[in-house]
Amino acid sequence: MNTVVVGAQWGDEGKGKIIDILSKDVDFVVRYQGGNNAGHTVVKSCGEFVLHLIPSGIFHPKVSCVIGNGVVVDPEALLSEIKGLTDKGFKVKGRLFVSDRAHLILPYHRVYDKLREARKSCTKIGTTGRGIGPSYGDKVMRTGIRVTDLYDKPLFKKKLEQAVAEKNQIFKLFEFEEFNFNQVYKDYLRYADLMKPYVCDTSVFLNDAVKKKKKILFEGAQGTHLDVDHGTYPFVTSSYVTAGGASVGTGVPPNAIDKVIGVVKAYTTRVGEGPFPTEFGPQLMEEIRKKGKEFGATTGRPRRCGWFDAVLVKYSCMINGINEIAVTKLDVLDDLKEIKVCVGYKHGGKMYRHFPASLTVQLEAEPVYETYKGWLSDTSTAKKFSDLPANARTYLKRLSGYLNAPIKILSVGSHEKQTLYL
C-alpha cells in the first residue's frame, strides 16, 4: 500500500514523528515538495534529529529514501545533512536517491529572498530566507537550473552565466553587490562531484518500485494551508503541499496512491505572518508555547498558537482526500480547564462553515467556538485509548466527528513510544 502523509494545518504538526513510525513498515520514503525551509524533528533513543531535506525514513536501515523532482535542493544544505547523519553512524550512501529533475537553490536565490522580504510592508510573508520561493520562481519562469544540468558542464556554464547576469541587474536595484560567477560555478561543480553517487532518474526508480508492489510512503513538508494554491495566499510556501503534489513532485501516477493520512496537532500553530482566526491571547500563548516547545525546527522562531480549527482542517480533509487522522501533542492540553474548538467563522453578518478564500475574511473573521471541559490529568503515559481521561476521549471523538475521518494514531509525547494506535 502506498500512502501520503500530509500536514492538515499550517505545518509543524509532528509529521516527522509519524513518518518515522510508519517508515518501519515500508520500502521507500519519498519527499515530494519544499526545500530546506522545512524541518522534521525525530526523537530517537540515540538523540534528537532535525531533518530538512532527507526523508525521515533514513533512520531505518532497510528503507530507501528519495528526494523527488518537486523538491528544490540546496546542495550545500543537502551535503551538510548527509555528513551529519553519516557522522552519527547512519548509512546514507546507497539508500538516498536525488532526482536529476529537481531544481537547484543557488546563492543568489537566498539573497534575493531576503532582499524582497525586507522591502515588503503589509504583505511580509515571514519567509525563512532559504531561497525557496526564488528558486521555484525561476522554475516557473523556465530559467531554473536543475540537478541534471550540473553534469553537462557547457550547458551548466551557459545557464549559470545568464542567471548570474540577470540577477546582478536586479541586485543593482537593491544596491547590493554583484555575484562572482566564477566562484559560484566552481562551488557547484564541487557539489556536483559530491552529489553524483545519489543522483538518478527517481521517476523511473519509483515507478519500477510500484510495479514490484513495493510499499511507498510519500512525505510532504509544511502543511495544507501553506499550499501555493489552497493555502492562505499569499502567506504560503511556493509549492504544492497537498496530497496531489505527491504525484506531481515524484512522477508516480495518482492511481498508485492508496491512502492519505492527515496529521494535526490537538491545537493549532503557525510560523510567520498571515491569518490565524483561533490565535490565543498572550498569556495562554506563552503557556502553550512553553509546554509544547513551539519553536521552529528550521529557524527557531516562536510559533503562534491557537485553538483547534475544525473549519481549517475540514477543508484539508476534503482537498487531500484524507482517509485517516493522526493527532499529535494531546498532552500539551493536559493542564487546561476548558478547551475550545472552532466550528465556524462570522464575518459581515455571514456564517462560514467552509474555509473562505478571501484574505479579508480570513484576517477579520470572528471564530465560533464549542467549549469542552479539560481533563486536568497526565496523558503522556497512556498506552491505549481507554487509559485516557474521559474528557480527553470525548474531545478526540468530537474532532473525529467534525472531520468525518477516524483518528488512527495519537501522539502524547515526543518519543516514539508515546504513541497510541486506535
Side-chain angles (χ1 to χ4, degrees):
M1 179 173 283
N2 301 324
T3 303
V4 179
V5 175
V6 63
Q9 295 160 314
W10 279 295
D12 308 309
E13 299 95 347
K15 296 183 295 296
K17 176 183 175 179
I18 302 303
I19 292 161
D20 177 52
I21 290 168
L22 297 175
S23 295
K24 298 172 185 176
D25 301 315
V26 302
D27 302 299
F28 295 84
V29 179
V30 187
R31 171 79 176 273
Y32 62 83
Q33 53 78 219
N36 61 311
N37 58 333
H40 284 171
T41 303
V42 179
V43 180
K44 308 295 287 184
S45 57
C46 54
E48 181 176 292
F49 299 85
V50 180
L51 300 175
H52 300 284
L53 282 168
I54 297 175
S56 308
I58 200 68
F59 299 113
H60 302 280
K62 295 181 180 179
V63 175
S64 296
C65 294
V66 177
I67 295 175
N69 56 274
V71 179
V72 286
V73 177
D74 184 328
E76 185 177 5
L78 175 62
L79 292 166
S80 175
E81 204 163 303
I82 291 171
K83 183 179 185 303
L85 287 166
T86 303
D87 288 348
K88 290 288 180 69
F90 294 100
K91 185 176 183 295
V92 179
K93 192 171 289 187
R95 295 182 53 224
L96 176 66
F97 304 88
V98 180
S99 173
D100 55 4
R101 288 180 167 84
H103 279 248
L104 294 168
I105 294 174
L106 288 109
Y108 50 74
H109 289 136
R110 293 192 293 270
V111 171
Y112 191 34
D113 201 357
K114 294 171 183 175
L115 290 174
R116 290 189 74 247
E117 183 76 353
R119 285 285 183 99
K120 293 174 182 176
S121 54
C122 63
T123 57
K124 282 185 180 291
I125 304 300
T127 173
T128 61
R130 299 293 199 272
I132 309 300
S135 179
Y136 277 116
D138 279 359
K139 176 179 179 176
V140 175
M141 290 289 289
R142 299 170 299 242
T143 58
I145 298 175
R146 301 190 297 174
V147 171
T148 187
D149 297 333
L150 293 173
Y151 305 102
D152 183 340
K153 287 185 181 179
L155 177 63
F156 174 53
K157 186 175 183 180
K158 181 179 179 181
K159 292 182 77 170
L160 185 62
E161 282 176 337
Q162 291 174 344
V164 170
E166 180 186 84
K167 295 301 186 292
N168 281 338
Q169 289 296 313
I170 294 171
F171 291 153
K172 284 181 181 179
L173 301 175
F174 290 91
E175 299 179 347
F176 188 85
E177 61 186 79
E178 294 186 353
F179 266 92
N180 183 303
F181 162 79
N182 290 325
Q183 186 61 54
V184 178
Y185 182 63
K186 179 181 175 183
D187 287 343
Y188 274 68
L189 287 182
R190 178 169 58 86
Y191 296 149
D193 287 339
L194 295 171
M195 286 171 57
K196 195 168 185 178
Y198 307 97
V199 175
C200 69
D201 189 333
T202 55
S203 297
V204 172
F205 183 55
L206 288 171
N207 275 282
D208 184 54
V210 170
K211 289 178 183 176
K212 293 177 179 177
K213 305 296 183 184
K214 299 292 185 181
K215 294 180 182 178
I216 305 174
L217 182 66
F218 300 89
E219 67 167 37
Q222 289 97 27
T224 296
H225 288 272
L226 291 179
D227 183 271
V228 70
D229 272 354
H230 293 283
T232 48
Y233 190 90
F235 302 96
V236 295
T237 193
S238 303
S239 57
Y240 300 111
V241 178
T242 55
S247 184
V248 175
T250 63
V252 173
N255 62 359
I257 295 171
D258 303 297
K259 184 167 68 173
V260 181
I261 298 175
V263 185
V264 298
K265 273 179 184 160
Y267 49 103
T268 310
T269 63
R270 83 172 295 173
V271 173
E273 306 299 324
F276 192 165
T278 66
E279 191 166 7
F280 292 142
Q283 185 175 341
L284 188 54
M285 176 84 73
E286 185 61 28
E287 182 182 334
I288 296 298
R289 183 182 287 158
K290 184 177 180 180
K291 184 166 185 183
K293 298 179 181 179
E294 295 296 356
F295 298 90
T298 298
T299 62
R301 289 182 295 178
R303 295 176 185 141
R304 299 156 65 192
C305 305
W307 297 116
F308 190 90
D309 190 335
V311 180
L312 185 88
V313 179
K314 193 173 182 180
Y315 183 81
S316 299
C317 290
M318 178 182 71
I319 64 172
N320 286 297
I322 288 172
N323 310 103
E324 299 177 3
I325 302 288
V327 176
T328 65
K329 294 199 172 184
L330 182 73
D331 55 300
V332 177
L333 304 181
D334 285 352
D335 300 326
L336 299 183
K337 292 181 180 178
E338 288 187 339
I339 298 171
K340 296 181 180 180
V341 176
C342 175
V343 295
Y345 304 145
K346 281 184 179 178
H347 185 269
K350 183 179 178 181
M351 174 68 82
Y352 291 83
R353 295 291 184 183
H354 298 281
F355 195 77
S358 167
L359 182 61
T360 299
V361 176
Q362 292 171 9
L363 289 167
E364 298 178 0
E366 177 187 347
V368 177
Y369 290 116
E370 288 186 1
T371 303
Y372 297 89
K373 290 181 180 180
W375 40 93
L376 298 175
S377 58
D378 182 20
T379 60
S380 65
T381 58
K383 300 299 181 185
K384 55 184 183 294
F385 188 68
S386 59
D387 291 341
L388 296 171
N391 288 350
R393 297 198 302 270
T394 297
Y395 180 65
L396 293 169
K397 287 175 181 177
R398 291 303 296 140
L399 294 189
S400 180
Y402 289 132
L403 307 179
N404 197 28
I407 296 172
K408 292 289 189 179
I409 301 174
L410 176 64
S411 173
V412 291
S414 59
H415 199 278
E416 59 186 315
K417 292 182 179 178
Q418 293 174 296
T419 311
L420 286 68
Y421 303 94
L422 313 182

